[in-house]
Every structure is written in C-alpha cells, then in structure tokens.
Amino acid sequence: MTTAAIIVAAGRGTRAGDGPPKQWRNLGGSPVLTRTARCFGAIDRIVVVLHPDDMALGIGAFEGGVTLIAGGATRAASVRNALEALDGSGVTRVLIHDGARPFATAGVVSRVLGALATAAGAAPALPVSDALWLGNAGRVSGVQARDSLWRAQTPQGFRYEEILAAHRAHPGGAADDVEVALAAGLHVAIVAGDEANFKITYAEDFARAEKALGAGMDVRVGNGFDVHAFTRGDHVMLCGVRVPHSRALLGHSDADVGMHALTDAIYGALAAGDIGRHFPPSDAQWKGAESHIFLAHATEMARARGYAVSNADVTLICELPKIGPHAAAMADELARIIGCGADRISVKATTSERLGFTGRKEGIAAMATVTLVQG
Ligand code: MG
C-alpha cells in the first residue's frame, strides 16, 4: 500500500487579517505550511497544493521530496488537481489535509488510515459539547439538538481510486472531501479527532498556535560573578545569612558576595547592567547598605518587565568559612527576598583546591546563574 498526503494550501486566507496568506505566516520560526507538511513525514508521498502565485515560495519551503501542484479556483478544484497528478503513481490511499492545521497528530493520522481497512473514507471529528442555538437578529429563536453533530477535522482519508472517481463525478464547491465522498455514495467512517489539531482561521488563532508550540515564551538566562577581599572582623554576610568567621569581607555595602552575584545575574538576564549602575559606589547613601536592597530591586525590575525568577543557582568559592551548614538557610533567605519557592534556589560551595586568591584565603568569589520566565 502506498499512501500520499495531499496538503491543500491554495487559498488566500483572508479571514486571518493583514499580511501574507496564513499558510505562509511565521509560526515559531517556520511557515505554518512547512510545519503542516512535517506532520506527514512518515507518509510515502507528500503533495502540496499551492496558489499559482505561490509556486516560487514553495521551492525550498519543505524538507525531502515534496511535490508542488498548482491549485484551482476552488478547494475542490485544488484537490482534484492533486488527485489527477497522482493518477498512475501507484498510490492506493490518500490523506487530504488543510494546510492551516499544523498540529495534526500521529494518533489522528493512524486512526484515519486504520479505518480505511474497512471503509472507503475515514475522517477525524470531535463531538459538539457547547449547546447550539438558532438565532436571528441577535435573538435566540430556538435550540438545536447536538447529539448527532460533529466538528469535522482533517486529514480526511480515502481509498485513492474511489475519491478520484468521486471528484471527477462531482465537480463543484464542496466544503471538504467528505462531502464529495458522500455525494458519490461512499461510506465514510468517523474516527476520534484531537482538540490540538485545530485550524488556523482567524488572527487570534496564531496566538493559540504560538502557545501550543511554547513559542513566544520568553526565557532569559543571566550570570553574575563577584569577589570581595577579607579584612578584619568576626563574621561575613553570605546570601543574607550572618556566618561567624575570623575575618570579614571588605566592601562598600555589606559585601555579601553571593547576593551580589545573584543580583547581577538578574540584571544580566534583563540586559540592565549591574549593581554598580543602579547603586553607584560613589553614592554615599549605599555605604554599608544591606544587599537585600539590591536583590529586591533587581527582582522588582524583572517583575515590572513581566518576568519572574524561575530558578537560580549560586556557587560560593572559598576555603573558609564552611558553607555547607548554612546553605539551606541561605537558599531560604534568597527565596524569601525574591518571592519564589525555596526549592527553586540553590546555594552550594566549592574550594579552589588552595589555588589562587580564594585558595590563599584572601577573599571569597561567587558566581550565579538565573533563569527568568515571562509570567
Ligand atoms: Mg560586590
């Protein structure tokens, strides 16, 4: 058995608003039609029916051996052109699909093809769950029973010879190929469709399609790095936790090297500079400032731009003090300031194997990575 997928994309898509026809609009980095064709990568042959003006656009738009056919004046004429082009090719089954349904699932395709074992035609559909009304001039005039109504989808599958004969016998303005098949007396089975397999018709459907792809979800990553030198003292502030130590960290603020690295990571993800830009060391008001002010500022800036911290990972690099006993309290404090779950914040430590300035216990270094997501 040889199967061909015919993808019908010869319309102009005027209901989807301004811009290029909807099948050529970008959806997560590829034209809608390219995505639609990918749904049929496992099918023996793919035929794409294009508007005659779009034939040049079709060259290079598809992976693998896709046949391009010029469409006709109506949808039925376009399908007919593709069916005629397959005459004599050895194709025994065809799947006829809307170019503007880029989310046809393997399950739907498989159910349609499976049903062709016992029916000349098979098509996916979904039951109607909303109540249906009759109405005139903005007023409900009656109700419509929905028990025997179905929302039709594609791909609609047929035994090739039978649907070709049906199209030849019933040229005209059928809405889809099931209508043509019924006019020819063919038996068409209904198989389960999929809500994900929706058709892009109106401009707002693009937003739904982007969401379905996860495209348009803006994820940002930032990193931060900071160093502070030791000076005389009896404790250090690290990630908002006071840790007793034989030395202190030197800095204009409270020298919380971990919180500074994390704050800079958030500014970095926003492409908004660093702590020094927002809290200049030359400004006396930040002398001795507690660093949670900086972290809260960066977090609020992210929030104002529509981002939330999804997770953060802070690494402190020092020989002493020992971080392990305080790491959980540090993560809790950072999460509290940021306003996220403590399970989204990691604080860990490493030594530098006694090498370099941290190895000589001259100071502490910190690095941080943060992920911001929209929402
Ligand atoms: Mg610093």
Side-chain angles (χ1 to χ4, degrees):
M1 258 183 314
T2 304
T3 307
I6 296 172
I7 299 171
V8 192
R12 296 282 81 182
T14 50
R15 285 176 292 182
D18 297 335
K22 61 185 177 182
Q23 61 270 37
W24 295 112
R25 295 243 308 254
N26 187 296
L27 180 60
S30 298
V32 169
L33 192 50
T34 302
R35 290 193 168 276
T36 304
R38 283 183 196 144
C39 301
F40 298 91
I43 301 300
D44 303 313
R45 290 197 58 173
I46 299 178
V47 177
V48 178
V49 190
L50 298 175
H51 190 279
D53 294 347
D54 292 349
M55 297 302 284
L57 280 174
I59 296 166
F62 305 103
E63 296 124 15
V66 168
T67 305
L68 303 179
I69 299 280
T74 62
R75 185 185 188 285
S78 292
V79 172
R80 169 90 181 267
N81 286 1
L83 290 170
E84 296 287 357
L86 289 169
D87 197 12
S89 68
V91 163
T92 53
R93 305 183 299 188
V94 287
L95 294 164
I96 304 174
H97 187 64
D98 297 326
R101 287 188 196 266
F103 302 113
T105 62
V108 167
V109 170
S110 141
R111 288 193 286 275
V112 170
L113 290 176
L116 291 183
T118 53
L126 293 164
V128 175
S129 56
D130 293 327
L132 295 176
W133 298 336
L134 302 172
N136 280 311
R139 186 174 160 200
V140 178
S141 58
V143 295
Q144 170 71 51
R146 64 192 171 200
D147 307 357
S148 60
L149 295 177
W150 295 84
R151 293 181 287 143
Q153 295 191 329
T154 69
Q156 299 176 351
F158 304 93
R159 294 177 190 157
Y160 171 71
E161 294 292 347
E162 285 161 82
I163 193 67
L164 174 61
H167 268 274
R168 284 175 176 167
H170 299 276
D176 65 9
D177 301 284
V178 165
E179 189 178 334
V180 176
L182 292 180
L186 300 182
H187 173 83
V188 179
I190 297 175
V191 302
D194 192 322
E195 291 288 357
N197 180 30
F198 68 97
K199 184 177 181 181
I200 296 175
T201 305
Y202 301 104
E204 54 267 32
D205 294 332
F206 274 93
R208 181 181 173 193
E210 294 276 356
K211 203 168 177 183
L213 281 175
M217 192 173 90
D218 190 356
V219 176
R220 290 174 165 234
V221 174
N223 73 77
F225 180 76
D226 196 27
V227 172
H228 281 265
F230 281 130
T231 185
R232 290 152 59 100
D234 61 3
H235 73 278
V236 291
M237 287 301 294
L238 290 173
C239 299
V241 173
R242 180 188 168 103
V243 179
H245 188 45
S246 56
R247 324 258 3 233
L249 288 172
L250 181 64
H252 187 69
S253 65
D254 65 5
D256 189 333
V257 64
M259 206 176 294
H260 292 182
L262 177 55
T263 303
D264 272 351
I266 296 173
Y267 287 134
L270 296 171
D274 57 17
I275 294 175
R277 179 161 131 194
H278 300 284
F279 300 92
S282 55
D283 189 334
Q285 69 170 309
W286 308 122
K287 182 153 179 54
E290 295 184 19
S291 296
H292 63 79
I293 296 169
F294 310 151
L295 181 58
H297 178 268
T299 304
E300 182 50 39
M301 179 179 269
R303 197 166 290 136
R305 295 186 186 188
Y307 296 94
V309 172
S310 177
N311 80 299
D313 184 18
V314 179
T315 302
L316 300 169
I317 306 162
C318 58
E319 302 291 328
L320 288 171
K322 291 290 177 205
I323 303 302
H326 307 283
M330 292 175 180
D332 283 350
E333 180 61 7
L334 295 176
R336 187 189 65 77
I337 298 165
I338 290 171
C340 69
D343 63 339
R344 294 180 172 273
I345 307 294
S346 154
V347 176
K348 59 192 194 299
T350 183
T351 71
S352 55
E353 299 289 344
R354 299 185 185 174
L355 297 172
F357 70 87
T358 53
R360 293 189 298 271
K361 302 176 188 168
E362 295 169 2
I364 299 180
M367 51 192 290
T369 302
V370 69
T371 308
L372 304 183
V373 295
Q374 261 184 337

